[in-house]
Amino acid sequence: MAHSPSQPQSDATSSEVKPANFLRHIVEADLAAGTHASRRWCGHPGSGPEQQAGAPDPARIRTRFPPEPNGYLHFGHAKSILLNFGLARDYGGVCHLRFDDTNPEKEEQEYVDAIIDSVHWLGGDWTVNGVEHLYHASDYFDFMYQAAESLIQAGHAYVDSQSAEEMRANRGTLTEPGRDSPYRDRGAAESLDLFRRMKAGEFPDGSHVLRAKIDMTAPNINLRDPAIYRIRHAEHHRTGDRFCVYPMYTFAHPIEDALENITHSICTLEFEDQRPFYDWLLERLAEAGLLVRPLPRQYEFSRLNLTYVVLSKRKLIQLVEEKHVAGWDDPRMPTLVGARRRGFTPEGFQMFAERIGVTKSDSLIDISVLEECQREHLNETAPRRIAVLDPLKLVLTNVAADHEELCEAPNHPQKPEWGKRQVPFSRELWIEREDFAEDPPKGYFRLYPPGATPAGDPRPGNRVRLRYGFVIECTGCEKDAAGNVVAVHAELLPDSKSGTPGADNYKVKGNIHWVSARHAYQSEVRLYDRLFSMPAPGARRMGDDAGDPEGLERNFLDDLNSNSVQTIVAQLEPALKDAAPEDRFQFERHGYFVADRVDSRPGAPLFNRAVTLKDSWSKGK
Ligand code: ATP
Ligand code: MG
C-alpha cells in the first residue's frame, strides 16, 4: 500500500510538500475523526451485507476515476485523474479505475483500451498490493435492478406512464413547483408488475419510466421524482442484449460508489445539485439493508477550462470525424494520447495540476500555463542536441575536403554530470538560413559577407563562433540563377577551437549552431502549434452581430488555426538517428522535440515539436 502518514495533519509539513486544497483538508479531517474507519471490504465490490462479511478495509480512503468509455481522455480528465489517484496515494488509500458504462449507446472497446493506456501513462495506478481495482459499472446492473425493485416495494419509486412531453410539462420550473403525475399513487404491486414487464421487453422505448417518489414541489428540481430507469432496446458493449432497461446516470453513480466502498466521490461542480438525490438514494438503500453505513459522500470541484482548446467530447469527436486533425492522437489534440505524441510529459501535467490547484470557483486557465509546465520539466530532463531546421550550406574554403575532426558538446549546460558527446566537423556544414544575411540589418551579429559601411568605407565579413567549434569569418556567398543564396563561404580561424588554449582571445558576438553536411541525419520534423487561433474557439466576439439572440455560438471550426502544423525536412546531428520513440530532446535555440511514437522506424526517427523555447503567443505573435 502507498505511504500513509500516521498523523494525516502532518502531511503538509512532510518533506514532499503538496499544495493544500479543500479536498485534502476534508480527507484529513475524516481520517482524524475516523469517519470511514468502520468500513469492511470483502475483496471486491459488493452489497452492504457482502462487505460486512469482509475484513476491515485496508484502504484508509477509496476514491475513483469514473470515465464513460465514449471518447478519449482530454486535458480536463488529467486534472481529475491526478486529483483522485493523488489523494489515494498520499493518504494510504486506493483509487479505482471505473468504466461508467451504463449507457448502452456510444460506448466502445477502443475507448476502454485507450483510457487504460492514458491513465497508466499519467501515473494512475489501480493495482495495490497485487490487487487490481479496475471495475465496470455494467457489472452492477443486477444489483441496480434489485435496488430499483426494493425502492418500489418500500413505496419510494413508481412506474410513470406519462409521455416525455407530459413529464416535462409537469416538472415545473425554477420558480413554479411541479405537478404530481396521475400515475404517482399507483400501488407498489402494480408498479412492480410493470417494472418487471419493462425488463422482460414487453414495452417499446419511452412508454414507461421508473421514477423515484420524492417531492414534486421540491425547490431543487433534481428531487422532483427523478427518472431512475428507462427502457432502451439497445445492445450494450459488455452485457449484449441481456437488458432492455438501463439505469439513469444519477441513479447508477451513487450505487457504483457504494458497492465499491468509495469514501470520497469527487466530481465536477455541475453535479452539486444532484448531491441531495445522491444522499437520498443511498439512505433509502441503507434502510432497506442493501447498503451499510458509513455511506460514500460526494464532493465537487471546478472543472478545468483552458484557452485555445475545446474539451467537449462532442467537439473532439467532430474534429476527428471531419478530419480537421489526423486522429485522436494528433499531436495538436488536447487529448492525453495527443499530448503524449506531442512530447508532453506526465510530470509536466502533475506540475500543472499543482500550479492551478483545486477549488470550487470556475476559472479559465491560459494554455500557456500548461505549456510552461511542460517546458520547465523538459528543460530539466531533455538532453541537448543540434538540429538545423531551415538548412543552408556553409563551405569553409580553407578546410580540406577530406578533413574530419570531432568537437565536444555538453549534453546539458547545467548538468555537467550528463557528460559531453562528440559531434563530427568537416568542410561543409549546414547552418540556419536566418544565420546569414547578405545585407545585414542594423544590430545583426551573425554571418554577413564583406561589403561597405553606409559611409562607403570597406567593411570585413563578419566573424561568428560555430557553437562548440571554431570561429569563422564570412568571405562571400554563392547564388543560383534566380539570385537565391545557395551557399555561404567562410574561412576558419585554426587556433580558435572551443576548449583549446587561446580560443577565448577571439571576441565575437554571434554564436550559431551547425551540423556537418556529410554526417547529418536528414529527417522529417513537424512543427506543431496551437490548433485554434482564438482563446475561446467558437465564442462570440465583441461586435459580432449585436442583434442576434444571446448565447448563440459561432462555429468553433471557424477558429481553427490554419498554420497549426508545418512539416519540414531538417538536418540533424548524427546521434539523433539512434533516438528511440518518445525520446525527448532540446534542439538548441529551437525548442523541445520528441521522436514520434507512431511514425518513427528503427534507425529513422521523425520528430515532433512539443513546445518552443519561449512562449511566442503572449508577445502578440
Ligand atoms: P465531456 O463533458 O467532455 O463529455 P465527461 O465529464 O462527460 O466529459 P466523463 O468520461 O464522464 O467525461 O468524465 C470522467 C471524469 O472526468 C468525471 O469524474 C468528470 O468529472 C471528470 N472530468 C471531465 N471533464 C473534466 C474537466 N474539464 N475538468 C476536470 N474534471 C473533468
Ligand atoms: Mg460524463
Side-chain angles (χ1 to χ4, degrees):
M1 183 152 315
H3 149 84
S4 62
S6 53
Q7 283 186 302
Q9 281 81 355
S10 70
D11 185 67
T13 55
S14 73
S15 59
E16 215 188 301
V17 181
K18 289 275 195 292
N21 63 51
F22 78 100
L23 289 169
R24 301 181 82 88
H25 291 148
I26 287 169
V27 169
E28 288 171 13
D30 281 339
L31 287 174
T35 313
H36 307 282
S38 64
R39 292 170 313 115
R40 306 179 79 85
W41 174 247
C42 65
H44 52 79
S47 66
E50 282 176 273
Q51 297 298 5
Q52 279 308 96
D57 193 339
R60 300 180 83 207
I61 62 169
R62 287 185 190 265
T63 55
R64 84 287 174 268
F65 174 65
E68 194 178 333
N70 62 355
Y72 281 66
L73 299 181
H74 54 60
F75 294 178
H77 293 119
K79 178 176 177 181
S80 178
I81 293 168
L82 294 169
L83 175 62
N84 281 295
F85 282 94
L87 285 172
R89 183 194 56 226
D90 293 345
Y91 293 104
V94 174
C95 180
H96 299 184
L97 175 59
R98 177 202 307 154
F99 288 103
D100 209 334
D101 57 356
T102 53
N103 180 355
E105 286 126 7
K106 294 189 278 184
E107 294 173 352
E108 290 174 28
Q109 192 60 35
E110 173 197 348
Y111 297 135
V112 170
D113 298 341
I115 289 171
I116 288 177
D117 273 0
S118 287
V119 177
H120 253 156
W121 178 72
L122 262 193
D125 189 0
W126 53 89
T127 302
V128 178
N129 290 337
V131 182
E132 254 204 295
H133 296 281
L134 186 153
Y135 301 113
H136 292 87
S138 56
D139 287 345
Y140 313 144
F141 278 159
D142 287 319
F143 181 91
M144 290 174 187
Y145 179 81
Q146 269 156 30
E149 283 207 350
S150 111
L151 288 180
I152 298 172
Q153 277 156 342
H156 294 310
Y158 62 98
V159 170
D160 195 354
S161 309
Q162 295 182 100
S163 68
E165 297 78 64
E166 287 167 328
M167 255 185 269
R168 205 170 303 123
N170 286 334
R171 188 174 298 134
T173 63
L174 284 176
T175 50
E176 279 172 48
R179 280 185 300 273
D180 285 1
S181 160
Y183 303 98
R184 195 172 197 265
D185 291 322
R186 201 170 236 172
E190 185 186 348
S191 278
L192 194 58
D193 174 61
L194 282 169
F195 188 50
R196 289 183 175 160
R197 288 165 61 198
M198 282 164 65
K199 183 180 182 237
E202 288 189 29
F203 306 117
D205 288 5
S207 52
H208 303 281
V209 22
L210 185 67
R211 296 178 75 174
K213 193 171 184 175
I214 310 180
D215 180 2
M216 287 304 290
T217 65
N220 181 344
I221 293 183
N222 297 294
L223 292 179
R224 294 183 190 169
D225 293 7
I228 59 181
Y229 251 96
R230 59 187 174 143
I231 305 173
R232 266 288 175 287
H233 290 270
E235 282 266 317
H236 185 278
H237 78 124
R238 293 185 85 240
T239 58
D241 58 5
R242 254 191 78 208
F243 293 94
C244 63
V245 288
Y246 289 94
M248 304 297 286
Y249 177 84
T250 48
F251 175 78
H253 204 89
I255 292 179
E256 295 159 22
D257 286 342
L259 294 180
E260 291 181 20
N261 248 12
I262 299 303
T263 55
H264 300 81
S265 174
I266 299 166
C267 61
T268 46
L269 276 177
E270 316 86 86
F271 294 97
E272 197 165 18
D273 292 345
Q274 296 284 359
R275 185 167 9 108
F277 179 69
Y278 185 102
D279 292 337
W280 179 92
L281 176 63
L282 295 185
E283 285 295 339
R284 296 295 81 73
L285 298 180
E287 284 167 11
L290 293 175
L291 299 177
V292 168
R293 296 184 180 85
L295 298 164
R297 296 288 307 272
Q298 174 183 305
Y299 301 93
E300 307 87 18
F301 71 104
S302 66
R303 67 194 293 116
L304 173 64
N305 296 306
L306 273 174
T307 59
Y308 291 98
V309 298
V310 292
L311 293 181
S312 121
K313 268 180 211 160
R314 181 179 59 78
K315 290 178 181 170
L316 295 174
I317 287 174
Q318 196 181 343
L319 287 170
V320 173
E321 286 184 348
E322 294 178 9
K323 300 202 175 353
H324 300 289
V325 292
W328 285 101
D329 66 350
D330 186 304
R332 295 164 297 176
M333 285 283 274
T335 52
L336 295 182
V337 282
R340 181 171 179 183
R341 258 190 98 179
R342 173 85 173 242
F344 282 15
T345 65
E347 295 88 342
F349 276 104
Q350 179 73 44
M351 197 189 293
F352 173 68
E354 284 169 19
R355 210 163 278 183
I356 61 173
V358 179
T359 67
K360 282 184 87 82
S361 46
D362 271 316
S363 64
L364 180 63
I365 308 287
D366 200 282
I367 190 82
S368 63
V369 179
L370 173 61
E371 291 166 346
E372 181 55 28
C373 290
Q374 296 296 341
R375 190 178 284 126
E376 280 179 32
H377 184 250
L378 289 166
N379 179 41
E380 281 298 308
T381 54
R384 273 47 177 171
R385 293 290 182 267
I386 301 167
V388 176
L389 302 186
D390 185 12
L392 174 63
K393 187 66 74 68
L394 169 69
V395 182
L396 300 172
T397 50
N398 61 341
V399 172
D402 59 355
H403 179 80
E404 207 173 292
E405 69 177 281
L406 295 168
C407 297
E408 287 205 316
N411 288 320
H412 194 296
Q414 282 89 45
K415 296 182 197 286
E417 67 278 15
W418 286 17
K420 294 183 171 186
R421 66 193 189 284
Q422 298 191 311
V423 290
F425 173 84
S426 64
R427 172 185 162 94
E428 294 197 0
L429 311 176
W430 293 111
I431 60 168
E432 297 290 345
R433 189 162 285 274
E434 64 165 31
D435 286 341
F436 172 76
E438 199 178 4
D439 246 332
K442 204 164 176 288
Y444 188 85
F445 297 128
R446 289 164 278 168
L447 290 169
Y448 53 79
T453 63
D457 301 323
R459 180 209 62 194
N462 200 31
R463 288 182 178 185
V464 300
R465 178 169 292 282
L466 296 173
R467 190 171 274 208
Y468 316 124
F470 297 86
V471 173
I472 59 170
E473 180 173 315
C474 187
T475 54
C477 65
E478 280 170 46
K479 295 185 187 179
D480 64 13
N484 301 312
V485 175
V486 292
V488 176
H489 288 189
E491 286 185 359
L492 172 142
L493 305 171
D495 53 350
S496 66
K497 188 175 184 181
S498 292
T500 60
D504 293 342
N505 294 340
Y506 293 93
K507 299 292 176 213
V508 293
K509 289 187 177 165
N511 183 318
I512 68 174
H513 65 274
W514 51 275
V515 294
S516 164
R518 189 166 0 124
H519 304 91
Y521 166 52
Q522 176 176 304
S523 174
E524 182 178 309
V525 172
R526 295 82 169 256
L527 304 177
Y528 290 108
D529 203 344
R530 294 179 185 172
L531 184 56
F532 291 95
S533 54
M534 298 297 291
R540 282 154 60 86
R541 294 184 203 145
M542 294 276 282
D544 269 0
D545 312 321
D548 265 15
E550 282 275 339
L552 253 197
E553 288 207 346
R554 292 164 45 254
N555 184 350
F556 75 105
L557 298 173
D558 292 346
D559 290 334
L560 278 168
N561 174 6
S562 54
N563 259 325
S564 57
V565 59
Q566 199 191 340
T567 300
I568 59 171
V569 175
Q571 300 291 344
L572 311 176
E573 77 167 77
L576 285 169
K577 200 173 188 325
D578 301 322
E582 296 203 78
D583 280 354
R584 302 179 182 92
F585 303 96
Q586 184 197 89
F587 288 178
E588 294 191 17
R589 294 173 72 203
H590 288 303
Y592 297 95
F593 290 74
V594 66
D596 189 88
R597 63 193 286 260
V598 175
D599 296 332
S600 293
R601 296 289 162 262
L606 310 185
F607 292 89
N608 300 331
R609 183 171 70 197
V611 276
T612 51
L613 281 187
K614 292 199 185 84
D615 177 10
S616 53
W617 280 76
S618 62
K619 288 183 223 61
K621 172 173 168 161

